[in-house]
Amino acid sequence: MAELSANEGKQAIIEVDGVSYTRLPIKTHVVTAADSIPDVAAQYAKAHLQEGDILFISEKCVACSQKRAVPLTQIHPRPLAKFLCKFVYKSPYGIGLGIPETMEMALCECGTPRMLWAAFISAVGKLFGKRGWFYKVAGYRAESIDGPTPYTLPPYNKCVVLGPENPDKVARDVAERIGFACIIVDVNDLTGKILGASSPELNREKLARILKDNPLGQSAQQTPMGIIREVKHA
């Protein structure tokens, strides 16, 4: 069994509230709709887990297993989508809703009225030099949509990936299968959120801070899951 180590350019250990934690990414095959996330976790992660560990899994990995990756060829943006995408802040870390295809999927996921209101509020925010208001109004279902980028792994470099369905249940199913706590996370090089947890006792806010620097990486590392482990000092 290969020893786990941090991805290149990422630090393995972080200190939160005076406690050090190591984050160990786990490489897998490219997960598709043919996979079961509990099975993938059992195959790649279970042998590495120790008492007290928490397994964290990328929301995009979960979504892809749920057939939530939509090929660009199947998306036909309406004129409204082409208009609304102009109101979205273009982040250097991802496309978000900044292209017609991702905006079209947001309209389908969230509804036209909400997206129109988000665009209006975004326009008001820009008058005051404020950014990010679009996503605050549109909500997480819109914010979680990922578009293709130059570093996206095939076949998802030609897809729009929606947020995962029922991440709490997925986390519980994984935990039941592997016998360890599990969380479903949305982390990138800007922010981090815990979308699902196998137990209400898990501190989502603290876990988000432990993962805030995105130890999974943001490009072709092919590490959609990892382990959080408290560092025990002698």
Side-chain angles (χ1 to χ4, degrees):
M1 182 174 62
E3 185 176 348
L4 302 179
S5 60
N7 280 323
E8 184 178 355
K10 299 290 183 177
Q11 61 180 31
I13 297 175
I14 192 171
E15 184 175 310
V16 175
D17 296 338
V19 180
S20 294
Y21 299 89
T22 185
R23 294 82 46 79
L24 302 169
I26 300 171
K27 189 169 185 175
T28 72
H29 65 272
V30 177
V31 174
T32 70
D35 290 299
S36 156
I37 293 300
D39 287 347
V40 174
Q43 178 181 352
Y44 291 99
K46 187 173 182 178
H48 294 284
L49 289 159
Q50 301 176 10
E51 183 178 357
D53 285 354
I54 299 173
L55 180 69
F56 63 102
I57 303 176
S58 160
E59 49 88 26
K60 189 169 186 176
C61 170
V62 174
C64 290
S65 77
Q66 297 174 331
K67 300 181 180 180
R68 304 268 293 162
V70 184
L72 290 171
T73 55
Q74 296 180 13
I75 304 172
H76 306 288
R78 68 194 90 169
L80 180 60
K82 296 176 183 179
F83 173 70
L84 290 180
C85 69
K86 300 175 183 178
F87 291 90
V88 180
Y89 168 64
K90 307 299 192 294
S91 166
Y93 296 99
I95 289 175
L97 303 185
I99 61 173
E101 289 80 4
T102 51
M103 182 59 74
E104 177 62 31
M105 297 311 300
L107 286 165
C108 295
E109 283 280 285
C110 306
T112 299
R114 183 166 193 162
M115 299 306 291
L116 286 171
W117 181 241
F120 172 75
I121 294 300
S122 174
V124 172
K126 287 179 180 179
L127 292 177
F128 295 94
K130 303 293 185 181
R131 296 188 313 200
W133 286 11
F134 188 98
Y135 288 112
K136 290 183 187 301
V137 176
Y140 183 73
R141 290 184 75 85
E143 188 180 7
S144 65
I145 295 173
D146 288 329
T149 65
Y151 51 75
T152 304
L153 286 172
Y156 304 115
N157 58 337
K158 297 181 179 179
C159 293
V160 172
V161 181
L162 309 178
E165 293 283 7
N166 208 344
D168 280 321
K169 182 179 184 303
V170 175
R172 290 194 298 269
D173 290 346
V174 171
E176 183 177 347
R177 177 67 186 277
I178 65 174
F180 291 85
C182 175
I183 54 176
I184 309 302
V185 305
D186 181 2
V187 292
N188 54 47
D189 290 341
L190 288 176
T191 61
K193 292 183 180 179
I194 308 304
L195 305 186
S198 57
S199 167
E201 296 179 1
L202 293 170
N203 186 330
R204 298 189 187 215
E205 185 274 334
K206 183 175 182 179
L207 290 168
R209 286 190 285 139
I210 292 172
L211 300 173
K212 67 179 182 179
D213 57 342
N214 187 18
L216 293 180
Q218 192 69 5
S219 55
Q221 288 89 349
Q222 205 170 313
T223 51
M225 59 182 62
I227 294 170
I228 296 173
R229 177 176 298 157
E230 183 177 338
V231 177
K232 304 293 186 181
H233 297 287

